[in-house]
Amino acid sequence: MTVDELTLTGERADLLAALGKARHFLRFTTRDLTDEQAATRPTASQLCLGGLIKHVTEVERGWAAFILEGPSAMGDVTEVTPELVEQRTREFRLLPGETLAGVLAAYEEVARRTDDLVARLPDLDATQPLPSAPWFEPGARWSARAVLMHIVAETAQHAGHADILRETIDGAKSMG
């Protein structure tokens, strides 16, 4: 059975609804754009719409893997190196050879897998230790629920960024 065929209620339905709404607004900001527009960085930030989709895809993919595999899925970061900064910078850009359609398709696949995970995960209270990184409290653990709420928050935050970028590109708004 697919997630669409399952009848979810309660917390899982609420998590999927919140995530679905945030994803919708993020994707909606890219409607009718060319690859060139999706790669444009129209504000003082280095963000572009295609890069935001790529970033959110990788964030969701990584955190879903964390729920299943623990901190090894994300790797430890002992220090912020120039290589790590470059990797993150590339994640926020639509690179040569990448297309908006391609990053949206990858996002759709990751979203489908995450939705399936939410529907089938035996225990939302199950915890994993966070990987070592300067931005995580040492020894902290997150439940699957906390991870999913983080994915919702991250997606919604970047949907807001995307809305500003889109309005700057051509005046189109996601709401209003």
Side-chain angles (χ1 to χ4, degrees):
M1 292 182 85
T2 67
V3 172
D4 292 336
E5 296 167 331
L6 294 173
T7 303
L8 296 177
T9 60
E11 181 178 24
R12 291 170 196 265
D14 291 345
L15 284 167
L16 288 177
L19 188 51
K21 186 175 185 177
R23 287 177 184 146
H24 164 75
F25 281 114
L26 178 59
R27 287 190 303 256
F28 188 65
T29 61
T30 67
R31 69 197 178 282
D32 304 322
L33 289 180
T34 65
D35 292 337
E36 292 76 25
Q37 288 171 311
T40 300
R41 298 183 308 218
T43 66
S45 82
Q46 294 296 306
L47 300 176
C48 71
L49 289 169
L52 280 175
I53 300 288
K54 278 177 53 178
H55 170 71
V56 171
T57 300
E58 290 309 310
V59 165
E60 189 167 322
R61 179 183 288 126
W63 281 113
F66 170 83
I67 289 171
L68 295 171
E69 302 165 27
S72 65
M74 301 179 87
D76 289 336
V77 176
T78 55
E79 65 179 283
V80 178
T81 64
E83 294 79 21
L84 179 62
V85 171
E86 177 58 27
Q87 175 189 346
R88 289 298 175 136
T89 300
R90 293 172 59 81
E91 187 176 286
F92 278 100
R93 293 186 182 146
L94 196 60
L95 300 173
E98 294 177 331
T99 64
L100 179 57
V103 297
L104 286 169
Y107 187 39
E108 190 65 33
E109 177 59 23
V110 167
R112 186 195 59 71
R113 288 195 312 257
T114 302
D115 289 354
D116 188 63
L117 174 64
V118 172
R120 298 177 193 284
L121 195 64
D123 184 5
L124 293 176
D125 290 322
T127 65
Q128 299 276 11
L130 290 174
S132 295
W135 46 86
F136 292 134
E137 178 184 342
R141 298 180 69 88
W142 278 12
S143 68
R145 176 183 298 101
V147 171
L148 294 167
M149 290 172 28
H150 177 73
I151 293 170
V152 171
E154 177 100 7
T155 304
Q157 178 181 13
H158 288 309
H161 295 146
D163 200 36
I164 292 167
L165 294 173
R166 179 60 192 260
E167 190 172 353
T168 304
I169 291 170
D170 65 2
K173 298 177 184 178
S174 296
M175 297 178 73

